[in-house]
Each structure stands twice: as C-alpha cells, then as structure tokens.
Amino acid sequence: MQNEACGTIEKPKLLIWQAMESRLAVYLASFSGLSVEDREDVLQSTLIAFWRKGPSAEAEARPWLYRVVRNASIDTLRIIKRSSSRQGQLEASDFRGTLEPEDPSLGPEDSVLSHEEVSLVRKFLAALADRERELAFLAFCEDMTYEQIASLTGTSLGTVKWRLAGVKKRLAEHYRREMA
Amino acid sequence: MTDDKKAEDLLRAFYSQEVQADSAARAARRTSRSAVQEIPIQRMAKRNWQSFRMLLAAVACLAIMAASSFAAGHEGLGPEGFIILSSELARVANEGGLFIPLRAVLPIEQ
C-alpha cells in the first residue's frame, strides 16, 4: 500500500514518512483496544492524510503525524466500543502487535537489552493504562518535552510529570523485584 | 545509577529495539511483496515492448513501400494495399499479444 500510495508523493514527505512509520506503529501499540489490523488501517489513513495535506517540513510533520495518528486511534476505539461484536476480541487483546516477540532477524549485536529485560519491560508496559503507555512512549522513544506531550495529549503539564514519575518509579521497583 | 535513570534507560532501549524490529519487519514485507509482484510486471513490460517494436518495424516497412510506390508514379498503397497493410499489422499485433489489453476493455461480441 505504501508504495502505491507514495507513487507520486513528494520526496521530502516520503523521507519523513519512511523515518516515522515504525515509530508511529510502536506508538499505536500504546492503544490496547486496537488490533494489529486496526493499527495498520490507522497508519494507512494517516499516510493518505499526510500525503494530501501534511506539512513537508520535518519539524512540523512530526507533531502533525502524532496528532493525526492519535485522533484516528481515538476515533477507531470509539467505533470499536460501539460495536458489541468486537467486545470479546477487545478483552482478549493486550499490549501486543509491534511489541510482540522480537524480530528474529535482529542479531544479538543489535540487542541492547537482554531477553529477560525485554520481556520484563513488555510485561510492565502491558499492565499500564493506555494513557501511561502513551506518555512513556512520547517521553522515552520520541524524547518529547513535558510541554510537547501535554499539548499533544491535551493533559495538564503537572499530570504529565506526575504520571511519568510514577511510571519510572514503578518500573524501577518492578525491575528490582524481578531481577533480584 | 539512580532508579529513575535505570527505568528511563530500560524504556529507551526497549522502544529503540521495538522500532528497529518493526522497521525490519516492514522492509522484509516490502521485499517479499516486490519479489512476487514486480518481477512478472517487468517480464510482461519487456515482452510487450518487444511486440511493440515488431509492430513499429512492420509499420515502417509498409510506409517505406507505400512511399516508394507513390514516388515511382504509381497510386501508392491503394485500397487493396490498405487492406493488406491493415491485416498485416493486425497479425503482427495479435501475435505480439498487443490486443490482450484491448480485449479487457472492449465489450464481448454477441
């Protein structure tokens, strides 16, 4: 889909998209109610929107893409909630998809964390609320400032700081307990 | 190392690995898709290009024949010549498979 959709996409936008696609995919895994297919649909609709009316400058494109992905995810979750037939699936889903087992193509030299550490972090993230997972991703994967995160998620600055401090504290405790 | 720093490092390393894994998986999917879809398209394009060149060569030959006939004071191709020209071109095009795309869009004859 990407190749077809990008058939006539401007080169700066294409480069931005190539750099952001996987990051957005991992961000989407913060929304536990979305299935792998839902996430891919959101990604594709974001690509189309970006292609049609997204900014070409990288500095503007990054927050724009996160905002569009976030809004599309929330819309999709609303639709899923309305559909009672999806409830069974939702309950069974967890923090998985892009965060499923590591890609076997990655060799040991690519791995910074040990296998135990990866599964520990994965388990920890799976137990978090969607909102906390989202904040953790934006802070530690995207390196957004507290202000940027607050603006993107529509949360107060104090709440962002407080929630992230809580996530770090609990992860450290979880790590000490599990690795002891 | 403080607890906060340790937790931050764990999360950064984890997300970095996840992004890399997703990127590698997408690249692999793209490669396998192109291997399946693009090679037959390239083959087909090459084959059509060969038939197209055959057709061009046939048109060029017949045009030269018509021009030389006309230049020699004859009537050029004439009605019969046009019929022969058309049927020859149609034969070359049909053998080259150039009518196949047309058949897809033209209505089926009753």
Side-chain angles (χ1 to χ4, degrees):
Chain A
M1 169 77 192
Q2 191 204 342
N3 288 340
E4 292 91 328
C6 290
T8 54
I9 197 167
E10 303 158 41
K11 198 162 185 202
K13 280 190 184 179
L14 181 61
L15 293 176
I16 293 170
W17 180 259
Q18 283 171 345
M20 291 298 296
E21 188 181 22
S22 289
R23 302 177 87 81
L24 293 169
V26 176
Y27 173 61
L28 277 165
S30 305
F31 301 91
S32 61
L34 298 176
S35 68
V36 178
E37 292 75 25
D38 293 331
R39 290 177 210 161
E40 286 304 312
D41 287 348
V42 169
L43 264 186
Q44 294 307 324
S45 62
T46 305
L47 169 63
I48 293 165
F50 181 55
W51 174 25
R52 285 184 183 153
K53 52 191 175 190
S56 301
E58 195 177 353
E60 293 165 37
R62 200 173 69 133
W64 188 94
L65 283 168
Y66 277 107
R67 193 160 289 120
V68 171
V69 164
R70 189 171 193 277
N71 291 342
S73 303
I74 292 167
D75 288 347
T76 309
L77 285 170
R78 278 197 196 120
I79 293 165
I80 292 169
K81 268 187 188 172
R82 273 188 229 131
S83 157
S84 56
S85 61
R86 295 284 300 269
Q87 286 307 310
Q89 271 178 277
L90 282 183
E91 282 154 19
S93 73
D94 56 9
F95 190 52
R96 62 192 165 82
T98 48
L99 300 183
E100 267 182 327
E102 289 167 83
D103 186 340
S105 64
L106 289 177
E109 69 281 1
D110 299 310
S111 192
V112 182
L113 298 179
S114 69
H115 191 71
E116 290 77 22
E117 284 174 322
V118 170
S119 64
L120 180 144
V121 178
R122 184 170 285 126
K123 211 168 124 186
F124 172 78
L125 287 172
L128 291 181
D130 280 9
R131 179 52 68 92
E132 287 175 323
R133 260 200 304 271
E134 186 188 4
L135 297 182
F137 173 88
L138 295 172
F140 305 118
C141 186
E142 269 304 312
D143 281 325
M144 285 190 183
T145 61
Y146 290 145
E147 287 80 8
Q148 286 171 325
I149 297 172
S151 156
L152 176 69
T153 58
T155 317
S156 74
L157 191 60
T159 307
V160 171
K161 286 181 184 173
W162 174 72
R163 279 185 190 262
L164 281 172
V167 167
K168 285 193 279 185
K169 191 175 169 220
R170 275 179 283 152
L171 176 58
E173 283 168 7
H174 182 69
Y175 184 81
R176 265 203 310 273
R177 204 172 45 243
E178 296 290 319
M179 298 305 247
Chain B
M1 190 186 287
T2 63
D3 280 357
D4 269 13
K5 183 78 177 69
K6 177 70 190 168
E8 278 187 27
D9 288 349
L10 276 173
L11 287 167
R12 281 184 208 285
F14 175 80
Y15 282 126
S16 163
Q17 265 180 245
E18 292 299 315
V19 170
Q20 273 181 33
D22 184 88
S23 193
R26 280 172 200 281
R29 277 210 300 271
R30 260 173 227 137
T31 309
S32 63
R33 261 206 312 246
S34 62
V36 171
Q37 292 172 351
E38 285 174 17
I39 290 171
I41 291 168
Q42 284 167 2
R43 280 190 196 138
M44 194 188 236
K46 198 174 169 188
R47 201 183 58 193
N48 279 349
W49 176 235
Q50 280 171 347
S51 352
F52 189 66
R53 279 193 302 190
M54 277 170 63
L55 187 64
L56 276 181
V59 170
C61 281
L62 289 165
I64 289 165
M65 281 165 65
S68 56
S69 162
F70 195 72
H74 300 295
E75 60 174 357
L77 278 180
E80 284 176 10
F82 272 112
I83 292 167
I84 296 166
L85 168 66
S86 307
S87 66
E88 278 303 295
L89 289 180
R91 189 184 58 77
V92 171
N94 191 39
E95 282 173 7
L98 290 179
F99 285 150
I100 293 171
L102 277 179
R103 280 184 205 130
V105 291
L106 290 176
I108 298 166
E109 288 172 30
Q110 294 299 315

